Amino acid sequence: PEQPAPGPGPDACARLIDTAFATYNFHFRDVTQRAAVRFATRDWHGSQRDAVQRIELYGRAVRRTVARLRANLGDSATDRDFWIAARKRYSKRIRNYLDRAFHETFFNSITRRLFSTTGVDPDIEFVQAHALPGESSGQTAIVRNHPFEGSLWQMLDAGLADINVDVPWSDRPAAITQASAQIAKASELIGGRGAIEKLELLRPLFYRDYRAYIIGRLSGASGVLPVVIALRHGDDGLQIDTVITSEDELSILFGFARSYLHVDLDPVREAVIFLKSLLPRKPLGELYTALGRAKQGKTERFRVLISHLRDTGDQFIDAAFDKGMVMVVFGPEKLPVVLKVIRDRFASSKEVVRREVLDRYRLVFKHDRAGRLVDAQEFRELKFQRRRFRDDVLNELRSEATRTVRFEGDDVVLGHVYIERRLTPLNRYLAEAGPEQQRLAVLDYGAALRDLAASNIFPGDLLLKNFGVTRHGRVIFFDYDELCLVTDCQFRDLPQARTLEE
């Protein structure tokens, strides 16, 4: 029989993966760019469909690329020497890309799928993080500069005139007056109105749900102030919804309980540098995730975790304030993240099964999180040294999670795990807080239930231990094993008791 044509060499393999990522990125940007049209036409349902479609693009791109490589490479598809060479060719090919980290993560996704990698394989993966410079280069393609020439109103007028949105203003002069008054009050923090130097605004608009955001910073004699103008498309046209001028409020906007923003960035790197200057305490991974680059956000979070364990000698400790019936919860003592592994068996009072738990976490990943659902990132085949675990955590994993956790010599392998930000459980917070903090937390608990219901989410289990409090005092839901859609529920009136026993 005729011999099949030889598969492509490492160069062709590197080119194929590069092209596959470029194709994915094209579709990612295409969906992202629809946000402007959705906002202009008030097509909110279309916006929600776009959010789900964009999330699904990455997995589809990886699956298609892996299938093509297996078909083209034959036995070489799992030949380590071949992939060591392919990694070198790929590294050379992408070395001048500004968003090189995204390409490297895509390459890692391919090799991990092909080899079913456990832990990290530095020979066929990119493991070194790329440090961002401390300051944006101020490229005109990313940032618009508006110098202060004696009037905040005039400076803001020039800034709003430059935005690219196809919606007429309801009352533009009134909107500018409203925004400039708020900015003038906040500008006292950076030296007063007379010390203002310039307003820098990122060129693209950021979209989420019903709003568009202009994001920038005000420079003054003694510092920099975030300036975010939230726009909404009302019945009468474009209006300013609110103005954000504090790091805390901006951090919530880019928070881990929010759905991903839609903003067309190319490259992404310059915008991230700009945002990092406004949010120095925000982890880099959370910024990438907020911009919709969820896979890169996962990569950065894992690298931070590994670096922390290596540099500090920290150990995984029991992180459950109240033991859960579905998850084993643990985390590093000195890093604000937790790891959650599904138990082999659930308590008899739980009517869910493992598949339902997985489905509910996937639902949250794609659903509008309304600022009230923690972003739980899913990982597979993570490997840690056994000595990184406290004995009580090891014993619980050994007795409660054998379907997911393996012990290999001096290592512990987590076959499936969720990693998310650590929160203070609401019941613990209320036990330790003062009266005013308690009052605000309980009110925000009610607001969280309302916000979740408005996004068609019913938590299922309303116990306070399943909600957490962020450093900003916001109440967030984080236990998804009984979560469901409001539209799937039947709510009934409590029947009138006929006897004392009832």
Side-chain angles (χ1 to χ4, degrees):
E2 184 180 353
Q3 291 295 316
D11 279 322
C13 179
R15 184 168 60 252
L16 187 154
I17 296 174
D18 188 20
T19 301
F21 181 81
T23 302
Y24 154 75
N25 206 43
F26 171 83
H27 291 297
F28 181 95
R29 293 188 63 196
D30 181 57
V31 176
T32 300
Q33 288 165 3
R34 294 180 204 160
V37 177
R38 302 294 191 196
F39 181 79
T41 59
R42 303 173 73 185
D43 183 5
W44 313 129
H45 291 298
S47 177
Q48 291 172 349
R49 290 193 300 270
D50 289 344
V52 174
Q53 181 184 354
R54 197 178 69 163
I55 287 171
E56 293 174 341
L57 286 174
Y58 192 92
R60 291 176 181 171
V62 170
R63 289 192 294 272
R64 281 196 301 266
T65 307
V66 167
R68 187 174 176 188
L69 286 166
R70 282 175 174 154
N72 289 359
L73 296 177
D75 292 340
S76 295
T78 52
D79 184 303
R80 282 182 55 78
D81 290 337
F82 177 91
W83 280 98
I84 290 170
R87 180 189 177 282
K88 292 178 181 177
R89 303 294 197 282
Y90 190 77
S91 180
K92 184 177 181 180
R93 184 179 184 86
I94 66 171
R95 66 183 182 276
N96 294 323
Y97 293 0
L98 288 177
D99 286 332
R100 185 167 77 252
F102 296 167
H103 295 259
E104 292 178 350
T105 294
F106 188 75
F107 186 94
N108 291 352
S109 297
I110 300 300
T111 62
R112 292 186 67 83
R113 183 71 66 90
L114 285 170
F115 285 86
S116 300
T117 306
T118 297
V120 175
D121 190 338
D123 290 334
I124 57 174
E125 291 183 52
F126 293 91
V127 299
Q128 188 65 41
H130 298 286
L132 292 174
E135 182 56 50
S136 170
S137 63
Q139 291 184 2
T140 55
I142 295 292
V143 179
R144 294 180 279 117
N145 290 289
H146 301 280
F148 182 75
E149 296 177 341
S151 167
L152 263 175
W153 201 99
Q154 291 178 336
M155 183 174 66
L156 197 56
D157 181 41
L160 293 181
D162 235 2
I163 68 170
N164 184 22
V165 58
D166 190 21
V167 180
W169 283 91
S170 173
D171 186 342
R172 189 163 175 270
I176 296 172
T177 299
Q178 169 198 346
S180 58
Q182 291 179 256
I183 295 172
K185 184 177 180 180
S187 68
E188 300 298 326
L189 298 173
I190 56 171
R193 190 177 307 184
I196 294 174
E197 298 169 355
K198 62 181 176 179
L199 176 66
E200 299 171 277
L201 300 175
L202 289 173
R203 284 185 178 276
L205 289 175
F206 293 63
Y207 297 91
R208 180 195 284 141
D209 300 329
Y210 309 97
R211 295 182 180 85
Y213 300 90
I214 304 170
I215 295 182
R217 61 190 178 194
L218 195 67
S219 299
S222 59
V224 172
L225 189 75
V227 173
V228 177
I229 301 172
L231 306 173
R232 60 185 172 92
H233 187 177
D235 294 336
D236 299 326
L238 193 64
Q239 300 168 341
I240 290 180
D241 197 29
T242 191
V243 178
I244 293 173
T245 55
S246 78
E247 181 185 335
D248 282 349
E249 290 175 323
L250 182 59
S251 181
I252 292 171
L253 179 65
F254 281 83
F256 54 84
R258 297 282 184 182
S259 299
Y260 305 146
L261 290 153
H262 285 234
V263 52
D264 187 32
L265 297 168
D266 185 31
V268 179
R269 180 176 180 270
E270 283 291 326
V272 170
I273 296 169
F274 187 95
L275 292 169
K276 189 67 175 171
S277 74
L278 302 178
L279 296 167
R281 292 188 290 176
K282 178 71 69 176
L284 186 61
E286 288 185 14
L287 284 177
Y288 282 126
T289 300
L291 296 176
R293 302 291 183 166
K295 199 69 176 182
Q296 193 61 36
K298 282 179 56 177
T299 298
E300 297 296 336
R301 168 167 277 175
F302 178 70
R303 285 172 176 167
V304 168
L305 174 59
I306 293 300
S307 297
H308 172 81
L309 295 175
R310 181 188 64 236
D311 297 341
T312 66
D314 202 358
Q315 284 186 300
F316 291 121
I317 63 171
D318 187 341
F321 182 63
D322 290 297
K323 285 291 184 185
M325 302 179 188
V326 173
M327 296 283 192
V328 178
V329 182
F330 56 97
E333 186 174 8
K334 301 172 184 175
L335 190 69
V337 298
V338 294
L339 288 75
K340 300 167 70 172
V341 172
I342 300 176
R343 296 178 185 274
D344 295 337
R345 298 166 300 278
F346 305 156
S348 58
S349 59
K350 288 289 183 180
E351 297 181 356
V352 298
V353 297
R354 181 184 181 88
R355 173 51 56 188
E356 291 174 318
V357 175
L358 294 170
D359 288 344
R360 285 162 184 174
Y361 273 81
R362 291 192 187 104
L363 168 64
V364 171
F365 180 56
K366 298 179 182 180
H367 196 80
D368 174 15
R369 288 196 291 280
R372 298 296 186 175
L373 295 169
V374 71
D375 187 16
Q377 295 175 323
E378 188 176 20
F379 291 81
R380 296 183 185 277
E381 298 299 318
L382 300 188
K383 181 189 290 187
F384 301 99
Q385 294 174 318
R386 190 188 294 241
R387 63 188 178 88
R388 295 297 182 191
F389 295 78
R390 292 272 180 90
D391 288 344
D392 58 335
V393 176
L394 281 176
N395 292 336
E396 188 172 16
L397 291 174
R398 188 179 287 111
S399 62
E400 297 284 337
T402 56
R403 290 181 59 184
T404 303
V405 179
R406 307 191 305 274
F407 295 86
E408 299 179 351
D410 293 331
D411 296 317
V412 178
V413 178
L414 307 179
H416 181 267
V417 60
Y418 295 103
I419 302 182
E420 60 190 48
R421 278 286 291 269
R422 177 187 290 146
L423 302 173
T424 302
L426 181 55
N427 58 333
R428 180 176 184 176
Y429 180 88
L430 292 175
E432 299 174 351
E436 180 61 15
Q437 287 73 29
Q438 290 175 335
R439 187 183 71 85
L440 293 174
V442 170
L443 288 173
D444 204 52
Y445 167 66
L449 297 179
R450 179 199 59 201
D451 292 344
L452 290 171
S455 67
N456 199 24
I457 289 292
F458 180 62
D461 194 338
L462 303 182
L463 294 175
L464 301 186
K465 69 176 184 177
N466 296 326
F467 292 78
V469 183
T470 71
R471 65 183 178 89
H472 301 112
R474 284 180 62 81
V475 174
I476 309 294
F477 186 60
F478 59 73
D479 191 329
Y480 303 150
D481 51 88
E482 294 189 18
L483 173 146
C484 59
L485 299 178
V486 172
T487 47
D488 289 342
C489 297
Q490 180 182 357
F491 295 93
R492 295 177 291 189
D493 292 333
L494 191 68
Q496 186 69 35
R498 296 166 299 179
T499 66
L500 180 62
E501 288 76 16
E502 285 187 355

